[in-house]
């Protein structure tokens, strides 16, 4: 019992310290008109709360490229840009509880140094000069904690920056906050015993996703122009599920394209299904800027797992895809395991229409052995996960969270959680057998893709797969059914980019008639669907390319995004 | 006992079938003057045996580039080139027992098809048009076995080609033989219960190295212009130890630069210290041609683990190394675990002198935590190796080989063997802990390298490390002390290229005085040294660059090789 008291005390002290790191004046001003918790859609609050003046609204609602141009031309200073985003991040925090570490003083000092440099030399220090960038809690900043949702990691400040933090700063980025994650990092929702739950700004009764739920909520509220989310590839959710839940763009690069060294993680030493870092932003342009800035910094000289591959303008311009003239997309309508809800299918239908109208081809994708792949990945994670959680939580005595449902400490019935136990633990040799099986499945899947050359009519295999990000839009807290639609691409290490397409529409997204079901989860998901439950939830799609095809996926996604925008403007 | 009889029968039938696949006429002609087993240096026999006429000698002693040019110009046909190398491979087989699968009819048919194509179109089919290429036994060829030294794998013909075999053939290579390996692939020597032991052509009382010992002996005797050796990175020996033992050039690329899919392996599913494929040849040019031809074929669209990185001419021209104008090399004289024998040190001294004379800088390299890294890698392999060996050998009942010493079936005292047991087997969680430790060591080592920027005086960190390939030249069969000097770079996944420098000289390579020893193996190695034992053994060095720096390591190695050649011609 003493231990239990101790972890709760540690957690509440940490949370109090967090509150104290926010300027009191800002909190006081927000306190006067903060919406009640019953107000679900809080996306318009930043514009009306009064904490941001007109110029600060312009700054925070500017796209990344314009923002960088205005700082580089001297129109805006790095400091005023930073202050604007710090304010808006505080607004986002009050609305959705999305932050962990808050270090505005450090940010103001960095921004002032950049302004001083610019004043002295007339030049920018790097391609991200003056751009505030938020980081998922896993990315270590010297002197600050990376608790990653574990009480055990409170008060263990990092001894050095993660490689990514150093690289971003060397390019002129201003780091200012870190963002919330679920305990163990292995949930597609965001809640832990220190900072609590992060809410979805589009509808606060819904999850912001996970494990980068904090980043998703913050970027969606424009409390950050660019967020770096590190996804323990784990349940395959990170970056993309929060992006889709909250309505931002997000990119999942392949293993090693973005440096990961020096980040905190769960299941450390698991070398098979690797963690990746990826950006979230409100435009594809933000994602591209991030990837290019990072790759141009040659991360491989600092991180042994970073892939030594320069930015390829040739690949970005789609040299391997007929210069983007007539692409052939394949839509995966469902994965043969769970049929997506009506809004998700509508998102895909809209995308198909838009691409056909833009002169591209769209065919159907045949999913290959998804269930086998899901089982393989689950077995790899659970091989040692139970010991991992136990060892980490034993230090503080906090319990391992068993459900993401609010107000519960018991095992819930939802199948979304990744709940390993000592029964799922296996020997190293057994692990190798599962990993061998996975390698064979990866080879089969790549051949399956390559074989589409016979049906596209372009002389190439399918240029990109279009598919759901999840079987539903952001669901109510604790009810996520699975993370299969993202996990599949982690398992295969394919590059995947999330594009927001629309929002749930009460008239258009009514329940569709269905006959047979794949399985009981599929049936439950169908039965649970009701457009009212998902009011205002963003709808998104994934654009998927093969391994280490970040440049091509960015290039192709710009074409998809433009087609969707052209369709909307009609 | 019945099982035992059965595996011996299977093995001898396989060996008899191998003999039957060689044209009897060639064997008969060689039988007349084959050197007795007491004749140790057999390197000059191919020129005097009479099986090869003058033109065939010219063909087989031509360098790879000249050979390709002569086939491309129509001066030589692919078929006559193939016949010449098939004959010479048979000579090498009779001298050193280096082959496994022999498929000359298939090779003649491929070569004839190439000639027909050339005659019809006046063009070559790819950059390797008409070049015979030998393959380590692991590389699968449809319809042929890949026994990789296991009786259990006899009579299981491959259902499809390995990706590498397909790629080489698509570029015009003519596949004609596969080469011998040790049982388990985890030995730095080459011997198994099916094909027996491969000897070193420079001195048949010495090992040809392993696990690509067959490839080493074959290429050294010019029975193949280019060999693809797949190293189970395992004991870190493959490609480089056979190259150094036999006196060829050899390149160990980083994980995934050369496609590995569809190859047979030991310890399958071990995803942490990955296997790599690399070329052996009699010139750096051969290595470069191989890597470039493979990378230009975009192996990543066929192998999910192949790195999507195009050939970079910029990196090859040393854009990141001051255009190669004034390089700074660091010599690692010893690893702090075993001091190399006198010939090895002389090889490094010669290289240092040559580079200084060529206007480059040479400083000393400080080894970092080698013993910690060796222990880590050994723990990763042994995590499930005992079960792996048991499961594979159980099928046939053949025993797991416990020593590479001739005429022995018992545990020997030499420490070279990698002998896991059920006691070294660990759980998946324990494996993750070792893998985590290794990842930290990799990060430390990369920082260690990067930090040399302070001492090179070039404004860059050290451009390449020069070091031994092993602590001795090829030792007598069964007496290899360890594979540490190659294993270190596998553990770190650095690119490493072997350059032959000289041969053991009875006068120059006398024992040097030494005082203290690092440990008992170090002392034994010192005591065992005697130039007579190692008569005529090749001396080689390693040129080491960082991960995925194949282009730069090739470019830098050409500079080292030229400097050595300039020194020799003085």
């Amino acid at each position: 019992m003493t231990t239990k008291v101790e972890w709760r005390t540690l957690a509440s002290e940490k949370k109090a310290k967090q509150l104290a790191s926010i300027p009191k004046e800002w909190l006081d001003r927000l306190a006067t008109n903060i919406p009640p918790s019953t107000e679900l859609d809080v996306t318009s609050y930043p514009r009306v709360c009064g904490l941001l003046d007109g110029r600060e609204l312009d700054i925070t609602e500017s796209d990344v490229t314009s923002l960088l141009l205005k700082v580089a031309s001297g129109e805006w200073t790095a400091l005023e840009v930073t202050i604007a985003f710090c304010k808006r991040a505080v607004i986002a925090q009050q609305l959705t509880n999305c932050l962990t570490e808050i270090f505005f003083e450090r940010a103001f000092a960095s921004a002032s140094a950049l302004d001083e440099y610019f004043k002295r030399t007339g030049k920018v220090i790097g391609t991200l000069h003056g751009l505030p960038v938020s980081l998922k809690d896993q990315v270590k900043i010297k002197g600050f904690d990376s608790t990653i949702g574990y009480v055990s990691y409170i008060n263990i400040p990092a001894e050095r920056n993660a490689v990514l933090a150093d690289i971003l700063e060397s390019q002129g980025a201003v780091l200012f906050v870190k963002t919330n994650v679920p305990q163990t990092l292995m949930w597609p929702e965001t809640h832990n015993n220190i900072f609590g739950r992060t809410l979805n700004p589009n509808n606060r009764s819904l999850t912001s996703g996970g494990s980068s739920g904090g980043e998703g909520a913050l970027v969606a509220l424009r409390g950050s122009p660019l967020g770096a989310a590190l996804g323990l590839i784990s349940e395959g959710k990170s970056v993309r599920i929060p992006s889709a839940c909250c309505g931002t763009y997000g990119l999942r690069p392949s293993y090693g394209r973005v440096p990961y060294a020096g980040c905190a993680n769960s299941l450390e030493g698991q070398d098979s299904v690797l963690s990746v870092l990826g950006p979230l932003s409100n435009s594809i342009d933000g994602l591209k800027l991030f990837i290019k800035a990072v790759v141009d910094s040659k991360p491989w000289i600092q991180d042994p797992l970073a892939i030594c591959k320069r930015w390829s303008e040739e690949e970005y311009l789609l040299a391997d895809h007929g210069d983007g003239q007539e692409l052939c997309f394949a839509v995966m309508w469902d994965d043969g395991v769970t049929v997506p809800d009506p809004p998700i299918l509508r998102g895909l239908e809209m995308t198909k229409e838009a691409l056909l109208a833009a002169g591209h081809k769209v065919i159907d994708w045949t999913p290959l052995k998804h269930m086998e792949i899901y089982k393989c990945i689950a077995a790899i994670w659970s091989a040692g996960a139970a010991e991992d959680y136990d060892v980490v939580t034993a230090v503080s005595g906090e319990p391992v969270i068993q459900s993401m449902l609010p107000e519960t400490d018991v095992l819930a019935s939802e199948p979304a959680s990744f709940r390993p136990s000592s029964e799922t633990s296996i020997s190293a040799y057994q692990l190798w057998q599962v990993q061998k099986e996975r390698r064979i499945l990866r080879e089969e899947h790549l051949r399956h893709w390559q074989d589409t050359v016979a049906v596209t009519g372009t002389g190439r295999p399918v240029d990109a797969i279009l598919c759901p990000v999840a079987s539903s839009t952001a669901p109510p807290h604790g009810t996520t059914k699975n993370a299969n639609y993202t996990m599949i691409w982690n398992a295969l290490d394919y590059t995947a980019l999330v594009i927001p397409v629309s929002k749930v529409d009460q008239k258009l997204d009514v329940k569709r008639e269905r006959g047979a079901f794949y399985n009981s989860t599929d049936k439950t998901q169908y039965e649970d669907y009701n457009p009212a439950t998902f009011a205002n939830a963003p709808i998104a799609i994934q654009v998927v390319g093969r391994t280490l095809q970040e440049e091509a996926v960015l290039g192709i996604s710009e074409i998809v995004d433009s087609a969707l925008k052209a369709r909307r403007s009609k």
Side-chain angles (χ1 to χ4, degrees), chain A residues 167-200:
Chain A
I167 281 179
L168 291 171
E169 291 198 318
S170 73
Q171 292 279 8
V174 177
L175 310 180
F176 67 120
V177 287
K178 294 212 293 177
T179 56
N180 206 21
V181 298
Q183 187 207 46
T184 78
L185 300 171
M186 300 294 286
W187 291 90
E189 304 198 10
T190 293
H191 170 59
N192 62 60
N193 291 323
I194 307 168
F195 297 107
R197 184 184 307 275
T198 299
L199 311 177
N200 189 321

Side-chain angles (χ1 to χ4, degrees), chain A residues 371-411:
Chain A
M371 192 49 107
E372 286 91 328
I373 297 172
Y374 302 150
K375 281 183 180 167
C376 225
I377 295 305
I380 290 172
W381 291 324
S382 57
E387 289 101 315
D388 185 88
Y389 300 170
D390 288 348
V391 168
V392 176
T393 53
V395 179
S396 64
E398 72 166 316
V400 176
I401 292 177
Q402 301 292 341
S403 162
M404 285 282 139
L405 282 170
E407 317 294 328
T408 178
D409 264 330
V410 297
L411 279 167

Side-chain angles (χ1 to χ4, degrees), chain A residues 68-79:
Chain A
L68 287 169
L69 282 172
K70 286 189 177 164
V71 177
S73 68
E75 191 178 331
W76 289 341
T77 67
L79 185 61

Side-chain angles (χ1 to χ4, degrees), chain A residues 209-527:
Chain A
S211 60
S212 308
E215 209 54 64
L218 180 66
V219 174
L221 282 168
R222 294 185 171 270
S224 171
L226 189 62
L230 186 149
L232 176 64
I233 277 240
S234 314
E235 281 199 273
K237 43 204 177 319
S238 236
V239 180
R240 288 165 293 154
I241 292 191
S243 294
C245 285
C246 299
T248 77
Y249 293 80
L251 175 67
R252 182 232 174 247
S254 289
Y255 305 160
R257 196 70 201 269
V258 172
Y260 167 95
C263 291
N265 207 349
S266 181
L267 313 191
E268 282 194 284
Q270 190 275 102
D271 275 358
S272 186
V273 189
L274 294 182
S275 287
V276 294
L277 269 162
L280 284 85
S281 190
N282 287 305
S283 67
I284 295 181
D285 214 41
L287 309 180
K288 185 192 163 196
L289 261 163
F290 175 93
I291 295 288
K292 192 167 181 317
V294 168
V295 170
D296 284 347
S297 303
K298 300 184 183 170
W300 49 86
I301 62 173
Q302 295 185 68
D303 178 351
L305 295 184
I307 300 290
C308 173
K309 176 182 175 173
R310 288 157 197 256
W311 172 266
S312 169
E313 197 66 16
E314 187 185 357
E315 293 177 25
Y316 171 66
L317 294 172
L318 305 179
D320 294 332
H321 300 271
D323 303 324
Q325 290 312 304
E326 189 199 27
L327 298 171
C328 180
F329 294 88
V331 177
M332 185 174 85
W333 298 99
D334 76 62
D335 65 353
V337 179
T338 323
V339 172
D341 282 344
I344 306 289
L345 294 173
R346 185 167 64 86
L348 289 171
E349 286 155 5
M350 284 169 63
T351 312
K352 178 176 176 174
E353 272 171 36
L355 287 168
L356 289 173
H360 300 286
K361 290 187 166 189
V362 184
I363 61 175
D364 287 344
W365 178 264
T366 312
L368 182 81
K369 299 190 178 182
H370 280 233
M371 192 49 107
E372 286 91 328
I373 297 172
Y374 302 150
K375 281 183 180 167
C376 225
I377 295 305
I380 290 172
W381 291 324
S382 57
E387 289 101 315
D388 185 88
Y389 300 170
D390 288 348
V391 168
V392 176
T393 53
V395 179
S396 64
E398 72 166 316
V400 176
I401 292 177
Q402 301 292 341
S403 162
M404 285 282 139
L405 282 170
E407 317 294 328
T408 178
D409 264 330
V410 297
L411 279 167
S413 60
E414 89 279 18
S417 59
F418 171 66
R419 241 181 261 115
S421 72
S422 55
E423 283 162 39
T424 62
S425 297
I426 55 179
S427 75
Y429 177 74
Q430 289 171 313
L431 175 61
W432 290 357
Q433 303 323 299
V434 185
Q435 291 177 170
K436 177 181 168 183
E437 196 186 326
R438 172 185 173 231
R439 193 182 285 195
I440 293 167
L441 286 164
R442 285 181 71 179
E443 290 172 9
E444 280 186 56
H445 202 279
L446 195 59
R447 274 201 297 273
H448 180 62
W449 190 317
Q450 196 62 23
D451 288 347
T452 60
V453 71
V455 294
T456 57
T458 60
R460 305 183 302 274
V462 156
D463 294 294
I465 300 171
L466 302 175
C467 70
V469 186
S471 50
S472 79
T473 53
H477 301 293
T479 68
T480 305
K481 296 287 185 293
N482 62 53
N484 290 345
Y485 283 91
T486 45
M487 186 161 74
I488 185 73
W489 312 128
N490 302 333
L492 300 169
D493 194 28
Y494 289 165
T495 309
L497 194 147
V498 170
I499 297 179
V501 173
S502 184
K503 287 196 165 192
V504 169
D505 184 299
Q506 298 301 312
K507 285 191 190 127
L508 295 176
D509 295 320
V510 293
K511 208 162 190 161
R512 303 184 184 191
E513 283 295 320
R514 270 190 75 189
F517 297 98
Y518 288 126
N519 50 56
S520 63
T521 307
D522 185 36
K523 187 156 183 266
T524 312
Q525 161 132 348
Y526 177 77
E527 287 165 355

